[in-house]
Amino acid sequence: MSSVIRSAGMRGFRDVVEQLGGDAEALAARFRVPLDALDGDDVLVSDIAMARLLEGAARTLPCPDLGLRISEYQDIGILGPLAVAVQNSPTVGAALECASQFLFLHSPVLRFTIVADPEGRAGDVGLCYGSSDGTPPRQATDAILAFSHRMIHFLLDGPYGLHSVHLSHLPKAPASRYTEFFGAEVRFGQPTSLLRVPRSLLDRPLAGVDDTLREIALDYLHTHFPEPGRVVAPQVRTAIDRMLGTSPPRIGSAARLLGMHARTLQRRLAAEGLTFESLLDDARRDAALRLLTRTDLPLQQVAGLVGLSEQSALTRCVRRWYGTTPSGVRAGGAGGAEALQGPT
């Protein structure tokens, strides 16, 4: 079953494709990836659609090292608020543990684990990034592991003792391209994709750490995202925002986008004290206020864009939300928006 990933993982895709003379938007449309995912970090994209886009683009351009090239446009900032906590961790091991704990914010299926060295050396470990749904396709695997390598390099501001790289696939690009990128031996066709590093790397301290910033970031993450099993409301709200005006905003559609069954989604929202209907109502309220105060669209069109079939339904909702009519909200203009939002 498909899950989702933040579009931050596609940062650099447009640049690479256009440098090679390709059409990034045509490729995205072909593989059913939202066009706004090409230029924004927080669009939820099906992980299957994203993987197919990368593989299809690599074949079409052709560019067999597409995943490596895309990673060169990405930095730790693609992790969003998690990046602050990771950068200000006391050691590499603490940074990786923090990333592992909250990586679900980037994608529910991405996993990071520290495993025994596949070569059997007691002083080494493997840093393994991957998907709980199985081994990602070639380009996605390259992009994930290449980003991991660049992130650790960034945290330590230089080489970190990488012994070798294991990749689960066979190369389409020359093996020398991988060796040049990672600066270490690369072995293909391995059981697991990982970075082989000294165990002592985990104890290496990070420079310029701000403990206060780290505590603020962790407090924010724990407060807003207490545990993976319950962190669905922000993803559901994003899914609803995408559906409004384009498709009927139904819980079944949101559940499919998030890679779960509708009943599972209902249970998880209930555990957070929320319902799909309450999130949908909030999304409609915010969208209606924005469209009424910032556009001159006809009220019937506004109703359609917030997922309501009739203008009369919009009128009833706006009265409930704001105690006035849609025309009354519009008459107040953008200057009255803050006052309307305040008590809701």
Side-chain angles (χ1 to χ4, degrees):
M1 182 177 290
S2 175
S3 185
V4 294
I5 188 168
R6 287 177 63 243
S7 56
M10 292 184 59
R11 191 186 293 180
F13 177 82
R14 181 191 288 277
D15 296 276
V16 172
V17 169
E18 292 181 351
Q19 284 175 8
L20 295 170
D23 187 331
E25 294 189 4
L27 286 166
R30 175 182 168 190
F31 292 97
R32 299 183 179 179
V33 170
L35 295 185
D36 51 353
L38 299 179
D39 303 302
D41 284 351
D42 294 311
V43 179
L44 292 181
V45 181
S46 160
D47 58 346
I48 292 177
M50 185 182 292
R52 287 175 176 169
L53 172 61
L54 295 180
E55 295 298 317
R59 290 192 304 269
T60 302
L61 289 170
C63 180
D65 63 338
L66 181 69
L68 299 183
R69 294 194 188 205
I70 289 175
S71 75
E72 292 176 329
Y73 284 83
Q74 299 178 353
D75 55 35
I76 197 171
I78 72 170
L79 297 179
L82 174 56
V84 178
V86 170
Q87 286 178 262
N88 288 283
S89 296
T91 65
V92 172
L96 297 178
E97 180 181 357
C98 182
S100 176
Q101 183 180 3
F102 290 101
L103 194 57
F104 67 89
L105 298 176
H106 191 60
S107 170
V109 299
L110 284 182
R111 296 290 183 268
F112 164 76
T113 52
I114 299 174
V115 300
D117 178 38
E119 302 297 319
R121 297 184 180 180
D124 295 336
V125 294
L127 305 182
C128 180
Y129 284 83
S131 170
S132 60
D133 286 349
T135 302
R138 177 183 288 106
Q139 299 301 330
T141 294
D142 285 357
I144 291 170
L145 213 60
F147 169 74
S148 306
H149 166 69
R150 285 170 53 80
M151 180 181 73
I152 300 172
H153 196 281
F154 168 79
L155 291 173
L156 291 172
D157 194 25
Y160 57 93
L162 178 63
H163 289 325
S164 63
V165 178
H166 283 201
L167 289 171
S168 56
H169 61 75
L170 297 177
K172 290 287 187 180
S176 59
R177 167 67 171 123
Y178 288 87
T179 302
E180 177 186 11
F181 181 93
F182 288 101
E185 177 188 6
V186 180
R187 301 177 186 178
F188 301 93
Q190 300 298 308
T192 305
S193 296
L194 52 78
L195 306 173
R196 292 184 59 245
V197 300
R199 186 182 297 274
S200 60
L201 171 67
L202 304 178
D203 298 322
R204 287 183 61 178
L206 301 186
V209 169
D210 187 322
D211 293 335
T212 301
L213 271 181
R214 182 171 189 267
E215 290 304 316
I216 292 173
L218 287 175
D219 181 66
Y220 174 84
L221 292 168
H222 283 295
T223 300
H224 290 77
F225 313 104
E227 58 184 78
R230 296 178 58 194
V231 182
V232 292
Q235 297 178 54
V236 173
R237 174 56 192 267
T238 301
I240 291 173
D241 288 341
R242 288 199 53 77
M243 286 188 285
L244 287 182
T246 60
S247 61
R250 297 169 180 159
I251 190 170
S253 301
R256 283 192 295 273
L257 181 60
L258 299 177
M260 65 182 73
H261 295 289
R263 289 183 180 178
T264 301
L265 180 55
Q266 283 179 320
R267 288 195 299 270
R268 292 191 177 184
L269 286 173
E272 298 179 45
L274 296 168
T275 65
F276 180 81
E277 289 72 21
S278 66
L279 291 173
L280 174 57
D281 194 60
D282 287 346
R284 281 175 166 160
R285 181 193 64 208
D286 294 346
L289 182 63
R290 183 177 65 254
L291 292 168
L292 290 171
T293 58
R294 299 182 185 177
T295 76
D296 295 320
L297 293 173
L299 295 184
Q300 183 62 43
Q301 189 171 351
V302 172
L305 289 173
V306 299
L308 297 170
S309 58
E310 301 287 343
Q311 183 176 328
S312 59
L314 175 67
T315 298
R316 289 193 299 271
C317 286
V318 171
R319 282 192 180 279
R320 174 166 55 85
W321 293 327
Y322 301 120
T324 185
T325 64
S327 297
V329 172
R330 175 160 281 171
E338 185 175 346
L340 286 170
Q341 285 180 309
T344 61

